[in-house]
Amino acid sequence: MSIELLDPPPDNSTPITNTKQHDLESLFYVFVWICSLYAAPGIVRDLDKNSASNSVIILKWNEVKDSREIGEIKRSHLSYGGNKLAACFTPYFASLRGCCIQLLDAIFPKTSEARIDCRASLSPVTHEQIIAIFKTALEQVLEEERADVNTTDSHATNVPVQLPSIMVQK
């Protein structure tokens, strides 16, 4: 859930309503969660909660029950510009660390009030921009996989990979 919905500004007399930017921020957290807690598709990472590793910092999102405190924890994790969250990614998802930072920069632009307040509702980000970031990341991952196959198997043929078609409803 977005920080603003979890921990609304205290001076705001009108209730915060869910926006598309809040939904995109929530999607970002799901992406970080998957890349951090899964060792590979369908395989949950073995976590040692006593470890000093950054790999478990996102577990704090579920440790407390107070929504404002969860919002503060997320806000503190974002204060590192996505680097702290990207550092949690398992080796399998390591190539998506740049995508994590790009998504954060799109949702909370560096030069905007959204970054200062961690309020996605202030962001002009669109679904199309987020889809474009994911599509670019997918293309990079597929290119890396093709390069790995070609370097490990000198007899491999370069088979073109069909990217999934993404339909955007308006």
Side-chain angles (χ1 to χ4, degrees):
M1 181 179 273
S2 76
I3 292 172
E4 190 174 15
L5 293 175
L6 289 166
D7 185 17
D11 61 339
N12 198 345
S13 59
T14 58
I16 303 292
T17 56
N18 192 46
T19 65
K20 67 178 181 172
Q21 286 86 358
H22 291 135
D23 293 342
L24 293 172
E25 181 184 350
S26 295
L27 176 67
F28 168 74
Y29 296 130
V30 171
F31 169 72
V32 169
W33 189 265
I34 290 168
C35 293
S36 300
L37 294 182
Y38 283 84
I43 302 170
V44 177
R45 175 188 209 157
D46 185 26
L47 293 171
D48 177 9
K49 291 187 179 187
N50 297 323
S51 168
S53 168
N54 279 335
S55 64
V56 294
I57 66 165
I58 65 166
L59 293 177
K60 293 178 187 224
W61 299 350
N62 286 351
E63 287 178 354
V64 293
K65 301 296 182 211
D66 179 67
S67 64
R68 289 187 182 274
E69 192 174 346
I70 295 168
E72 277 299 315
I73 291 167
K74 284 184 175 181
R75 187 177 287 113
S76 73
H77 292 162
L78 296 182
S79 67
Y80 292 90
N83 292 320
K84 193 168 191 170
L85 295 176
C88 298
F89 285 22
T90 61
Y92 182 85
F93 293 106
S95 63
L96 294 174
R97 288 179 178 147
C99 179
C100 173
I101 293 168
Q102 287 179 328
L103 289 169
L104 180 68
D105 288 343
I107 297 166
F108 299 107
K110 291 178 184 177
T111 58
S112 76
E113 196 176 336
R115 177 62 68 95
I116 296 164
D117 291 346
C118 290
R119 292 171 56 195
S121 64
L122 299 173
S123 172
V125 69
T126 64
H127 288 80
E128 289 80 11
Q129 290 169 303
I130 298 299
I131 289 169
I133 292 169
F134 276 123
K135 188 174 181 181
T136 300
L138 174 62
E139 290 168 351
Q140 289 172 347
V141 167
L142 292 173
E143 186 60 37
E144 289 171 14
E145 286 181 3
R146 280 188 288 247
D148 286 346
V149 167
N150 287 338
T151 58
T152 58
D153 182 7
S154 61
H155 299 296
T157 58
N158 196 2
V159 179
V161 177
Q162 178 75 29
L163 290 176
S165 174
I166 301 173
M167 302 287 286
V168 178
Q169 288 185 319
K170 296 183 180 184

